[in-house]
Amino acid sequence: MIRRGFQAAVRLGQHRALFGGPQVLPRLNLTSAFGSSTDSLVSRFCPEKTDLKDYALPNASWCPDMLDLYQEFLEKTKTDGWIKLPSFKSNRDHIQGLKLPSGLAVASDKSDWRIFTRCIQVEGQGYEYVIFFHPSEKKSICLFQPGPYLEGAPGFAHGGSLATMMDETFSKTAYLAGEGLFTVSLNIRFKNLIPVGSLAVLNVHVEKIEDQKLYMSCIAQSRDQQTVYAKCSGIFLQLQLEEESPQ
Amino acid sequence: MLRGCAGLLRSWALRGPKRGRSFSSEVLHVDHSLPNPSWNEDMRLLFDQFMKKSEDGSWKRLPSYKCNPPERIEDVKIFFPDAKLLKEQMSQAQQFPRSLGEGVGFEYAMFHNHVEDRTVCIFQGGPHLQGVPGFLHGGAIATMIDSALGMCAILTGGIAMTANLNINFRRPIPLCSVVVINCQLDRVEGRKLFVSCNIRSMDEKTLYSEATSKELPLPLYVVCLNLLWTFLGLGVVRFWVCFCFDLVLSPTNAQKFSILSHAKNKLKVFLSITGREALAKIY
């Protein structure tokens, strides 16, 4: 009877949803959760030399506000500890040499897969954005300009496009601040619509890291901070990537 | 007029836009919520199942176009008079999430059941919606949820905008798989519409996400204008119908009072009834 009970408990554990209980997930290696691991994550994420195209660079479609702020933060990367994050065609390009844990890894990985925020390839028509990350303060700032292909209500960006941008900024911040990988929840309060072609500045902070989860907050506002577009809180799940076996 | 705009948007959601002036007719007239070569077997199967359910009239397929129809652009000019709708931007604009190419982005079709007051969206996420390698981006899921919940709210309450979106992700959705988004209206509180949805696999055994949203309809001043128009519109029509009815059936009443004072009394009675009805209709 006791053996049958154990067997039932094992079957129950196997049938639980992936995020239903922490005992189903591989435990995070504690030695990698603190201090210098952020530096090693950042150095891997931002390769110094690469042939990959970086989409987070100014182009002709960027509005003057976006260009000004970009230059301002580029100066801060030299003096105040900010880092400009590159943006490649796929997230896989950011984690070269690493892979998802075996329970989650996808068998085939096609070369035509693209990260959603770089799906619209025509300059200025979709997501134009760049993210700056501050490793020691665990905060990020994203400069986001929605193009006409992201329209919802005529002349304004679709709510989903702002939700996407917030999720993407959370995602990069969570990964670099504490190996956060999957979104657990998003709670967005929309205040105002963003006109297409205008600049929205997203400020993201990591509030706390607890129980394998990162709790973050974001506020999206205009450059002069007079108009708040939305406020958001997000929770990300920590999951350590594995080294790819050499082939 | 404003009630007419809300009604127009509702009927547009069900019917589709009329001929426009700024967009090429080719772009405007392609209904994207119909099967195309990029749809996999599961997606076609689900689509056929819902089309079969539509045969008895309880379900209706909602068309989906790349561009905002001219009526919607005019609505925005009324509700957002400060909006700078640049001609150049409007001619380039495409409705997100239809702006990605066929098969690489959002492939979806929505169906509405007016009896049960719920909306179902079948969705196949393409290879350009990637987040974590091999899985859909959380933002792509949020976009689909926002679109589906928004449509559910519009069909129930007229023009609406998302005020609050709360999503709990349970499992990551594999790229290029097919999921079903079930949306329903939970309750209405004054001007607020509370809608919720869940995202499940085709066989309904896997729960991927759950979401709730608060949608706000027209701004208060527009509601008041709408109320006033309804008030007057209903009041005037009903007054004249009943006045004529009275004159025909009870000529002695019209004889006793002068026609003007009779009309005045009738107007008072019907406006008071109409006001209550109009309030009940809006709220």
Side-chain angles (χ1 to χ4, degrees), chain A residues 18-19 91-92 112-116 119 148-149 151-152 154-155 158 160 164 167-168 183-186 188 190 196, chain B residues 68 76 85 89 93-96 99 127-131 133 135 137-139 143 147 163-165 167 169-171:
Chain A
L18 179 67
F19 305 129
N91 268 333
R92 187 164 286 288
D112 63 341
W113 289 357
R114 294 182 75 95
I115 188 172
F116 177 40
C119 60
Y149 282 18
E151 195 179 80
H158 194 281
T164 300
D167 183 59
E168 177 62 15
T183 321
V184 173
S185 78
L186 278 179
I188 311 172
F190 294 97
V196 162
Chain B
N68 275 308
V76 167
L85 298 173
Q89 273 177 358
Q94 291 191 28
Q95 265 281 302
F96 191 62
S99 49
H128 288 195
L129 304 187
Q130 190 183 183
F135 298 97
H137 196 285
T143 300
S147 295
N164 191 302
L165 184 60
I167 309 174
F169 298 89
R170 304 284 182 210
R171 296 185 78 95

Side-chain angles (χ1 to χ4, degrees), chain A:
Chain A
M1 188 190 79
I2 295 171
R3 191 159 53 137
R4 249 187 250 160
F6 274 131
Q7 283 170 353
V10 165
R11 267 199 298 277
L12 191 65
Q14 282 170 351
H15 284 138
R16 265 196 197 172
L18 179 67
F19 305 129
Q23 64 270 27
V24 176
L25 298 164
R27 293 297 305 174
L28 188 68
N29 184 351
L30 287 175
T31 57
S32 72
F34 304 101
S36 61
S37 67
T38 299
D39 294 333
S40 61
L41 286 168
V42 168
S43 61
R44 198 159 205 165
F45 194 88
C46 313
E48 279 184 13
K49 284 181 187 171
T50 177
D51 295 329
L52 297 164
K53 182 177 174 184
D54 182 359
Y55 289 89
L57 290 171
N59 60 57
S61 69
W62 285 25
C63 63
D65 278 344
M66 190 151 170
L67 287 166
D68 285 344
L69 264 185
Y70 175 79
Q71 288 303 326
E72 198 180 300
F73 276 92
L74 212 56
E75 288 301 314
K76 289 184 183 180
T77 59
K78 296 167 192 165
T79 53
D80 291 351
W82 286 91
I83 295 168
K84 185 192 102 53
L85 301 184
S87 176
F88 302 135
K89 193 187 84 160
S90 165
N91 268 333
R92 187 164 286 288
D93 297 327
H94 285 289
I95 53 168
Q96 287 185 3
L98 297 170
K99 61 173 185 174
L100 286 168
S102 47
L104 290 167
V106 178
S108 68
D109 184 3
K110 297 173 187 172
S111 60
D112 63 341
W113 289 357
R114 294 182 75 95
I115 188 172
F116 177 40
T117 45
R118 294 294 177 200
C119 60
I120 297 168
Q121 298 168 56
V122 182
E123 221 172 67
Q125 299 299 305
Y127 295 94
E128 289 294 338
Y129 70 95
V130 56
I131 303 175
F132 291 89
F133 174 66
H134 200 292
S136 54
E137 293 183 31
K138 293 200 185 336
K139 65 180 183 183
S140 292
I141 190 159
C142 172
L143 312 179
F144 169 46
Q145 178 184 295
Y149 282 18
L150 302 186
E151 195 179 80
F156 297 96
H158 194 281
S161 68
L162 180 59
T164 300
M165 212 55 247
M166 284 173 154
D167 183 59
E168 177 62 15
T169 314
F170 276 154
S171 164
K172 296 295 184 285
T173 311
Y175 178 71
L176 294 172
E179 295 186 283
L181 210 58
F182 287 105
T183 321
V184 173
S185 78
L186 278 179
N187 188 339
I188 311 172
R189 280 93 59 205
F190 294 97
K191 309 286 181 194
N192 282 292
L193 297 174
I194 305 177
V196 162
S198 69
L199 173 70
V201 181
L202 280 65
N203 286 286
V204 167
H205 285 88
V206 176
E207 305 286 339
K208 63 178 179 183
I209 302 176
E210 200 176 85
D211 292 337
Q212 277 189 287
K213 289 184 196 142
L214 288 108
Y215 295 78
M216 290 171 287
S217 64
C218 173
I219 176 164
Q221 49 198 346
S222 57
R223 185 187 179 181
D224 56 8
Q225 300 183 357
Q226 293 300 307
T227 312
V228 174
Y229 294 122
K231 292 183 183 176
C232 179
S233 54
I235 305 174
F236 268 67
L237 190 72
Q238 285 180 314
L239 205 59
Q240 203 167 28
L241 297 172
E242 296 172 354
E243 294 280 346
E244 264 180 347
S245 48
Q247 289 176 358

